[in-house]
Amino acid sequence: DVQLVESGGGSVQAGGSVRLSCEASGYMFSSWCMAWFRQAPGKEREGVATIDTISSSTVYNDSVKERFAISRDNAKKPVVLQTVFLQMDDLKPEDTGMYYCAAGNPGWGACTLGPELYTYWGQGTQVTVS
């Protein structure tokens, strides 16, 4: 199993920045997709960005391109396998929501923002933009 723990959420004014972190521990295959999803009240969960842990290739939701950046870092802590970050700049009120980290094995395919690809999910961290 893989455990995911998010941190870094909070409240910010429009135009501000927030950086989210997700620490992954447990057993992981050599190639994983790690992604950020978000869910606003009354709306469906949507993919925000994903990154391949081997190639570092990325995919973004069109609504966050040029404003958000996903990145990863090899573990520097005991037990933690991967840390994935989501740098969010020029935040807008419509970016408000619960942000979830997710991990999944793409097999021979590429990382996408389809939630069906992701097996493991974190508990979420709230981001509120006013």
Side-chain angles (χ1 to χ4, degrees):
D1 282 353
V2 175
Q3 294 78 45
L4 303 173
V5 179
E6 304 101 332
S7 61
S11 297
V12 64
Q13 291 188 339
S17 298
V18 170
R19 190 190 197 206
L20 304 181
S21 299
C22 172
E23 292 187 343
S25 60
Y27 177 78
M28 299 181 80
F29 293 98
S30 60
S31 177
W32 279 77
C33 302
M34 293 195 68
W36 288 96
F37 286 76
R38 66 185 179 189
Q39 187 166 22
K43 294 188 177 181
E44 291 188 356
R45 189 174 297 190
E46 66 172 352
V48 175
T50 186
I51 187 167
D52 185 302
T53 60
I54 297 298
S55 69
S56 292
S57 62
T58 58
V59 176
Y60 291 93
N61 185 308
D62 286 346
S63 68
V64 305
K65 284 181 180 177
E66 309 301 329
R67 298 189 299 121
F68 290 11
I70 189 171
S71 61
R72 65 174 186 86
D73 193 8
N74 289 334
K76 293 182 172 61
K77 301 180 183 179
V79 180
V80 175
L81 299 174
Q82 283 277 349
T83 302
V84 176
F85 305 97
L86 185 68
Q87 177 66 40
M88 303 187 293
D89 298 322
D90 189 23
L91 283 160
K92 304 176 180 181
E94 52 264 42
D95 295 317
T96 294
M98 187 70 77
Y99 282 71
Y100 298 91
C101 180
N105 181 1
W108 294 105
C111 295
T112 70
L113 291 176
E116 64 278 359
L117 173 59
Y118 299 90
T119 305
Y120 301 101
W121 295 80
Q123 293 300 306
T125 184
Q126 178 70 33
V127 174
T128 302
V129 185
S130 59

